[in-house]
Amino acid sequence: MSGDWLGVNSGFDQGGVRVTTASAPGKTILFGEHAVVYGRPAIAVPVSDLRATAQVEDGPAGGGVLLVAEDLGETYRLDETYDSDTARALQVTVRNTLQFLDISSEEQSLVVRVSSQIPIARGLGSGAAIATALVRALARHYGRFITASAISDLTYQTEIVFHGTPSGIDNTVVAFEKPVYFVKGERMDIFWVGRPFTLLVADTGVPSRTRDTVADVRQQWQADRLRYEALFDGVGQIVDAARQAIAVGDVDALGALMDENQAILRELGVSSPELDRLIEVAREAGAKGAKLSGGGRGGCLIALANGENDSKIATALLLAGAAQVISTVVH
Ligand code: MEV
């Protein structure tokens, strides 16, 4: 059950106020983004070094529930209406979680704070991480056990409000905090990594909303189903081959598959000149493969390092204009 309580802590501060904190990781999609929305498999891994944190403390009696978005310096009330997406995401998550726990939100006095190290709108799952951290902290604050699967479902309810038609892969990998092979509504396998490998996750610095790219792909799919279904099939085959390559620790094959997946993502129209350029830079600096990750048209790319050339690739990406490069080991 340890996976359900990762990063969770509960106790009293110096003033005797009960405080609970919890965190959740970012994520990156290794293979299969977009096609996963259409029932093909995808593989995603947590990025544990980048985390969102939620803190729940008892507030003054009768004070209601206050939601503090620390990074924005904004405070919202649970029972008021706001235009802000952040306010609505926090409200939806808190309301759904309290309802799930059978706790009446009207009678609570809480101060709920969230903050995140995960850049937003970069395909790193920042929204899912904040929601998951919040669900974990709330459940623990009320002394309630909640499974990773229920946390994932509650996070999905928030994702639906903001992502349109999410496949569910983001909430799954973030809530379970394990590498997953995922087929929407069918499978969620924690997979076996034959040999650890290092990914460099580079931020293009260009924000991109998953909701928009998913909607664009849907429009194009509606206009030419045959072509798009064939492209999605191609992605599905790559994902299955990648799962095999990961299981046997074949890093060279994995890199080649990343390049193949990127070629199809370009055909799907979700790459961008900036992504293409940085992907080329990573390959020239020695990456075994590179591709965009997540929604595309900005956001992040991932490059497969071989343990010897990590810093060379990272430096090349930063010199070429990447806003940030994070190294993460998948094991
Ligand atoms: C977003 O991280 C991945 C997409 O496939 C959308 C989704 O799966 O919901 C682009």
Side-chain angles (χ1 to χ4, degrees):
M1 294 194 184
S2 60
D4 301 330
W5 297 109
L6 283 162
V8 181
N9 218 317
S10 192
F12 293 87
D13 70 6
Q14 284 170 344
V17 175
R18 204 158 54 91
V19 181
T20 306
T21 55
S23 68
K27 71 99 213 326
T28 189
I29 302 219
L30 266 185
F31 292 97
E33 50 275 272
H34 288 289
V36 69
V37 175
Y38 299 82
R40 275 43 165 216
I43 292 173
V45 297
V47 180
S48 301
D49 299 331
L50 284 180
R51 302 189 77 85
T53 305
Q55 178 184 301
V56 180
E57 64 184 57
D58 291 336
V65 179
L66 295 182
L67 307 167
V68 186
E70 303 237 313
D71 301 329
L72 303 177
E74 297 282 354
T75 298
Y76 313 104
R77 297 190 60 84
L78 183 62
D79 54 5
E80 270 178 29
T81 307
Y82 300 92
D83 268 344
S84 144
D85 270 2
T86 306
R88 290 192 301 124
L90 297 176
Q91 288 175 325
V92 166
T93 312
V94 171
R95 279 202 204 104
N96 287 344
T97 306
L98 291 178
Q99 192 179 17
F100 178 84
L101 298 172
D102 244 336
I103 292 167
S104 148
S105 57
E106 283 102 59
E107 289 158 25
Q108 306 310 308
S109 302
L110 297 174
V111 181
V112 178
R113 299 173 200 281
V114 293
S115 60
S116 175
Q117 309 167 315
I118 308 166
I120 57 169
R122 301 294 200 277
L124 289 173
S126 68
I130 290 172
T132 291
L134 203 44
V135 177
R136 284 178 175 169
L138 279 168
R140 181 67 177 88
H141 196 72
Y142 287 99
R144 300 282 294 276
F145 176 78
I146 181 167
T147 63
S149 170
I151 295 170
S152 176
D153 289 348
L154 284 162
T155 301
Y156 185 67
Q157 295 311 316
T158 304
E159 294 272 287
I160 285 178
V161 178
F162 300 97
H163 278 188
T165 53
S167 64
I169 191 168
D170 288 16
N171 48 286
T172 303
V173 71
V174 168
F176 282 83
E177 208 157 336
K178 294 271 195 289
V180 294
Y181 171 94
F182 178 91
V183 182
K184 181 178 159 185
E186 277 179 33
R187 289 178 75 148
M188 207 276 322
D189 303 347
I190 307 287
F191 64 82
W192 177 254
V193 179
R195 184 189 301 171
F197 56 92
T198 303
L199 285 180
L200 297 168
V201 184
D203 181 356
T204 60
V206 180
S208 165
R209 292 196 313 174
T210 304
R211 174 170 51 186
D212 297 340
T213 54
V214 169
D216 283 357
V217 170
R218 182 161 299 274
Q219 228 175 23
Q220 286 156 27
W221 170 75
Q222 273 158 350
D224 191 350
R225 289 195 188 211
L226 231 54
R227 173 159 181 265
Y228 273 74
E229 286 294 329
L231 291 172
F232 295 149
D233 281 343
V235 173
Q237 282 158 13
I238 291 170
V239 175
D240 284 333
R243 179 181 176 149
Q244 185 62 20
I246 292 169
V248 299
D250 188 345
V251 179
D252 287 332
L254 198 59
L257 289 162
M258 285 170 74
D259 291 343
E260 280 180 41
N261 195 164
Q262 172 61 18
I264 300 187
L265 287 162
R266 284 190 64 173
E267 286 198 56
L268 290 173
V270 292
S271 198
S272 68
E274 188 60 7
L275 279 164
D276 291 344
R277 194 173 65 78
L278 289 174
I279 285 168
E280 206 40 55
V281 166
R283 287 178 186 152
E284 273 168 18
K288 286 180 171 293
K291 62 182 278 294
L292 69 85
S293 173
R297 298 252 182 84
C300 285
L301 61 107
I302 50 174
L304 182 61
N306 70 5
E308 288 155 27
N309 53 15
D310 306 17
S311 59
K312 188 175 162 210
I313 301 167
T315 306
L317 285 165
L318 287 168
L319 285 174
Q324 193 183 359
V325 181
I326 299 142
S327 160
T328 186
V329 179
V330 180
H331 41 69

